[in-house]
Amino acid sequence: MEHWDEKKICTFQQTLLNWYDEKGRDLPWRRDQDPYHVWLSEVMLQQTGVQTVMPYYEKWLARFPTVTDLAAADEDTVLHQWAGLGYYSRARNLLKTAQIITNERNGEWPKTVAGLKALPGIGEYVAGAVASIAFGVPTPAIDGNAYRVFSRLLLIDTDITSSQARKVFAAAITPLIPLDRPGDFNQAVMDLGSSYMKAKDPDSAHSPVKEFDAAYRLGITAQYPVRSPRKKAVAKTYTAIVLRINEQVVWQQRPNRGLLASLWTWPLLAGDQREVTVPDLVALLATDRKIAISPTTVLRSQVIGGDASVDHVFTHQHWTVYVRALTLSEPPVLPASAQLLPLTQQKLALPTLQKKISQFYNQER
């Protein structure tokens, strides 16, 4: 790992911040230092790209202009507003944190990394970003961009997937942060990591900080950051069951834990249930989904799309979802977690997976 003297650190700070002042991205959450805006944007940006987040951010603030407005909302409304961004635990934690800030702290945000980390869903990175940008705390915001930028600048060969990586990088970055502009410094690193020093096809030769880039100087940029191979996603198969009565279908809310927690889908059964007999399928729905159907009310059974399926990738799982439809003459007996609603309803909080399933059904039936 390289170590810089005070003169080099000062020159680096000035070079980076001059570039940021001139070329930094004009993003809606950078127009003030309101902790609500900073926090919301950083949570949305986790696992999601800037271009995707921007319209969601604007719509969110139109619906919940302040943290107090968010605190007053119910979970279903929040999840519906979040629908499409994925990783829905983020939305639930936004609501919990808003309620704590509003109801327990009289609208006052913690101004330290430790205090921010005590709030639901706020980890090291978001705490560092909010503390530095909103409150001027000279602390790093270490995400993939920071790992990439500083591993190359300083030749840090610690595996970024290891348990000690954050501690190693924090120790290396902290002395480089200017005390008067820590938030701008961290945001400049974000912009640098998403442009000249991105993961694929970096443009190190034109980077504003190329003179400080040890990996570029040695011609080994591709070797940084050091990272263990990703684990292969686990393959899982499900069958979505369309229980249809005229223009209404059964919608069921997922359990409040696990993937798609508290969101609404058509009933999902584990495994490939396309060839299962109607009596056996009805029995599975009763056992697994608590949906009671009399086999005599099944007017038609149809596999939608034949061998075609809906594929959806989560971080560690790859789902293959087949679709089977049962047309019923009478409504089934439903548990509290299910409702009979229009096929095209837009009131429930639907995950992207269900939107893909609905689109597939409409195209293939």
Side-chain angles (χ1 to χ4, degrees), residues 91-337:
R92 285 186 283 272
N93 284 328
L94 283 172
L95 177 57
K96 292 175 185 176
T97 289
Q99 290 169 340
I100 291 172
I101 295 297
T102 300
N103 301 328
E104 299 179 20
R105 297 182 56 88
N106 297 317
E108 289 293 322
W109 286 81
K111 293 180 173 59
T112 65
V113 170
L116 289 162
K117 283 173 58 181
L119 296 170
I122 296 185
E124 290 279 358
Y125 168 72
V126 173
V130 175
S132 62
I133 298 169
F135 303 119
V137 178
T139 187
I142 303 175
D143 64 349
N145 288 311
Y147 280 134
R148 192 160 55 254
V149 168
F150 290 104
S151 66
R152 294 172 183 174
L153 296 183
L154 302 174
L155 295 181
I156 302 175
D157 57 9
T158 300
D159 184 338
I160 64 171
T161 66
S162 67
S163 58
Q164 69 267 29
R166 186 171 295 276
K167 183 177 181 180
V168 170
F169 276 79
I173 298 169
T174 299
L176 309 182
I177 300 174
L179 299 181
D180 59 335
R181 298 182 65 184
D184 288 345
F185 177 90
N186 284 331
Q187 290 180 111
V189 171
M190 296 172 198
D191 285 6
L192 195 60
S194 62
S195 57
Y196 295 100
M197 299 184 72
K198 57 188 178 181
K200 295 181 180 179
D201 301 319
D203 186 12
S204 304
H206 298 96
S207 166
V209 297
K210 68 177 182 180
E211 64 184 287
F212 304 92
D213 189 339
Y216 169 66
R217 186 172 65 247
L218 297 173
I220 53 176
T221 296
Q223 297 179 27
Y224 292 87
V226 176
R227 181 187 189 124
S228 297
R230 294 180 183 271
K231 293 182 179 179
K232 187 176 180 179
V234 176
K236 291 182 177 290
T237 301
Y238 292 90
T239 304
I241 309 299
V242 187
L243 301 173
R244 184 164 182 170
I245 304 96
N246 297 320
E247 293 303 310
Q248 292 190 310
V249 297
V250 172
W251 298 87
Q252 189 161 39
Q253 190 172 36
R254 301 279 295 173
N256 59 11
R257 291 190 178 187
L259 286 175
L260 309 180
S262 300
L263 301 176
W264 292 79
T265 66
W266 292 337
L268 290 171
L269 294 175
D272 180 355
Q273 307 298 339
R274 288 175 295 171
E275 303 300 325
V276 174
T277 65
V278 168
D280 286 345
L281 184 63
V282 166
L284 275 173
L285 285 165
T287 302
D288 293 358
R289 301 288 92 212
K290 309 304 179 187
I291 298 172
I293 299 171
S294 171
T296 60
T297 66
V298 180
L299 301 177
R300 184 186 183 195
S301 173
Q302 180 186 10
V303 175
I304 307 299
D307 290 332
S309 63
V310 174
D311 291 315
H312 192 74
V313 179
F314 298 96
T315 304
H316 302 300
Q317 295 186 19
H318 183 165
W319 285 19
T320 297
V321 182
Y322 297 105
V323 181
R324 184 171 177 180
L326 298 183
T327 302
L328 308 178
S329 61
E330 296 178 13
V333 178
L334 301 176
S337 63

Side-chain angles (χ1 to χ4, degrees), residues 76-98:
D76 284 344
T77 300
V78 171
L79 291 175
H80 187 268
Q81 195 72 18
W82 188 268
L85 280 173
Y87 302 93
Y88 288 84
S89 61
R90 294 184 293 171
R92 285 186 283 272
N93 284 328
L94 283 172
L95 177 57
K96 292 175 185 176
T97 289

